[in-house]
Amino acid sequence: MPTVEYGGKTFTVDEDGFIDSFDNWNEEWVQLVKEAEGIDELTDEHWKTVQVLQDYYKKNGIAPMVRILSKVTGFKLKHIYELFPSGPGKGACKMAGLPKPTGCV
Amino acid sequence: MAKHETPLLDQLESGPWPSFVSDIKQEAEARAKNEKGVEYQIPVDVCEDLLGVLELSFKHGRTHWKHGGIVGVFGYGGGVIGRYCDQPEMFPGVAHFHTMRVNQPGGKFYTAEYLRQLCDLWDMRGSGLTNMHGSTGDIILLGTTTPQLEEIFWELTHTYNQDLGGSGSNLRTPADCVGEARCEWSCYDTQALCYHLTQEYQDELHRPAFPYKFKFKFDGCPNCCVASIARADISFIGTWKDDIRLDQEAVAAYVGGELPPNAGSHAGRDWGPFDIQKEVIDLCPTECMSYADGKLAIDNRECNRCMHCISVMPRALRIGNDRGCSILVGAKAPILDGAQMSTLLIPFIKVEEPYDEIKEVIENIWDWWMEEGKNRERLGELMKRQGFQKLLEMCNLKPDPRMVQEPRTNPYIFWKEDEVPGGFQRDIKEFRKHHLR
């Protein structure tokens, strides 16, 4: 798998730009993903979404359903797309360092 | 000279059926020649590498595409199916080979001009290969690279006024039968309803918000030419409430042999002269027809509108004038808990703009399923898990004998507490006063 460097750190990613392992996530990663995902400025709401996804993933071993993400963050799906133009899967999960969504996508 | 040897695929160029191998080779050749001087944005030899990787799969008996792939365009959560080859060095032309779903028009009617534009775009920014159409209905643009996705999307929306279709846990692209456009059996305008609901629920189509995928399909009559009853979570199937319209003169013409039964569908074999008794009356599932003294009679109260007689004698029998559709729900493929066809939920509903009654049904179902559905649970599975009664409750519908094929045979019947005199709170001491241990 290819590697990318950012802020003095090296990350291993797959073709879609998802990180190889959740354990290798750090704040530089967020800055790196930001640009590829069409995000100009990181706000507290971005960080809150990332935090919620990471907490849920650590506790449950999977990404939350969209409905649960909305409920816990209090952000409607529309707002999540305003924050992450690629949406909760490709945008937010990638930024949070979660594994790539699978299934019939 | 082709880039890869394809001895196994070459065998598929023989025989009378249109060969996909010959077609792909033709496209490969056209790209190599590039007579129009197109500025190809993805590898010129994409088609040759596709044949190469397919030949390798024929040889190995296994796929050579990697697992999954998450790509898309900003603003949408679906519409593009990412795909990467697992032998990118050997077949660099298909290292990226993403599929784009493009929302098709109702009934799949096209003008040459529209298709030419789409082909020009795809020739330049894609592989030149398509699937017309995917099973759900979309125009499928087969094979391009990640950087081209936004370019194609920009061109589609800005130049062609054309949007992507759906993928992921959302409302997938709705599809319809040809409907009133050119079928005399269509009980409502399938294309109008399909188009209207597609536009109405664009948000649900482009941004996955559901527990799992959800599909609409629209059939004009119970012949189900778009197979809604098997392939849609909500199936809209046209029907009528009044009498079948009868033209006795035309019936006589069928009996006399002037008109071929089934509009000549069985002309390829000699089935003998048309026998109305044998081919219509005796095959009617409810036995509600009779033919005596040259007159055909139908007891419409007993007719279940199966379409058989109308299909056999289209010039003599016509659908009624009081038309609408039935709504059936829950069809799905086997994963996880077994295949299902749709179950009748609403026997008859009028199909009239602005379709408010129909939207109310859809939205009631979504409210329930979005709240109660488990991750990756289809509506049909939620119906099994929580029960059909729950669905009726959520849709504010009264149970109706038409909603079951037969009543339950087991006696495990749940009652609501308020239906039982005295409720469920009982004191064992009270019971013991009359029944000693």
Side-chain angles (χ1 to χ4, degrees), chain B residues 51-359:
Chain B
L51 288 172
V53 73
L54 183 60
E55 176 77 16
L56 195 67
S57 287
F58 269 57
K59 203 169 125 196
H60 291 162
R62 61 173 187 268
T63 184
H64 280 293
W65 301 108
K66 286 195 199 176
H67 182 83
I70 292 290
V71 288
V73 296
F74 286 149
Y76 289 5
V80 187
I81 322 311
R83 198 66 75 220
Y84 302 97
C85 183
D86 72 358
Q87 306 291 335
E89 287 85 25
M90 217 187 303
F91 307 106
V94 292
H96 289 220
F97 200 72
H98 310 321
T99 293
M100 296 190 85
R101 291 186 179 161
V102 178
N103 201 153
Q104 83 290 359
K108 306 189 179 81
F109 284 96
Y110 293 107
T111 61
E113 190 201 354
Y114 170 84
L115 290 175
R116 200 172 289 127
Q117 284 180 339
L118 201 62
C119 288
D120 286 345
L121 171 64
W122 191 237
D123 271 341
M124 176 178 170
R125 301 195 176 275
S127 67
L129 303 177
T130 65
N131 178 0
M132 297 295 276
H133 300 73
S135 313
T136 300
D138 306 88
I139 301 166
I140 306 273
L141 303 179
L142 211 52
T144 190
T145 59
T146 309
Q148 290 305 310
L149 298 174
E150 291 285 358
E151 306 285 342
I152 294 165
F153 183 58
W154 196 94
E155 197 73 20
L156 280 176
T157 48
H158 288 74
T159 313
Y160 306 147
N161 195 24
Q162 170 68 60
D163 208 341
L164 293 181
S167 71
S169 291
N170 58 8
L171 174 65
R172 300 294 182 88
T173 313
D176 49 18
C177 72
V178 76
E180 288 176 348
R182 49 183 311 160
C183 176
E184 64 269 40
W185 299 333
S186 195
C187 298
Y188 68 99
D189 190 340
T190 55
Q191 295 190 35
L193 182 59
C194 181
Y195 180 75
H196 184 95
L197 294 182
T198 304
Q199 297 291 4
E200 176 79 14
Y201 299 121
Q202 281 290 296
D203 202 30
E204 284 75 7
L205 196 155
H206 292 306
R207 283 169 281 280
F210 291 163
Y212 204 9
K213 63 177 102 168
F214 199 93
K215 299 180 183 178
F216 290 162
K217 280 190 167 56
F218 306 88
D219 276 308
C221 82
N223 281 338
C224 270
C225 292
V226 74
S228 66
I229 197 171
R231 292 180 187 179
D233 295 88
I234 304 191
S235 325
F236 300 86
I237 304 178
T239 190
W240 63 94
K241 274 204 299 192
D242 54 349
D243 293 353
I244 292 177
R245 287 172 292 156
L246 251 173
D247 176 350
Q248 297 289 3
E249 270 179 42
V251 172
Y254 277 104
V255 173
E258 291 108 69
L259 292 171
N262 293 87
S265 297
H266 307 295
R269 185 171 155 187
D270 183 9
W271 294 91
F274 178 61
D275 181 343
I276 192 169
Q277 186 67 36
K278 194 173 128 210
E279 295 176 42
V280 179
I281 313 296
D282 292 351
L283 294 181
C284 172
T286 62
E287 301 175 7
C288 71
M289 303 180 81
S290 57
Y291 182 74
D293 307 322
K295 289 274 180 248
L296 182 66
I298 303 172
D299 180 1
N300 282 280
R301 280 176 58 87
E302 296 300 323
C303 169
N304 65 6
R305 296 169 301 284
C306 78
M307 296 298 294
H308 177 74
C309 59
I310 296 178
S311 299
V312 176
M313 301 189 290
R315 298 275 289 271
L317 301 175
R318 288 172 202 279
I319 58 172
N321 283 321
D322 188 1
R323 300 170 197 165
C325 79
S326 302
I327 297 181
L328 296 86
V329 292
K332 59 178 278 290
I335 292 170
L336 281 165
D337 68 358
Q340 286 190 49
M341 302 249 264
S342 284
T343 300
L344 185 67
L345 180 66
I346 298 190
F348 188 88
I349 192 166
K350 277 284 185 191
V351 183
E352 284 161 352
E353 278 183 272
Y355 313 113
D356 284 339
E357 274 185 39
I358 289 175
K359 285 185 221 168

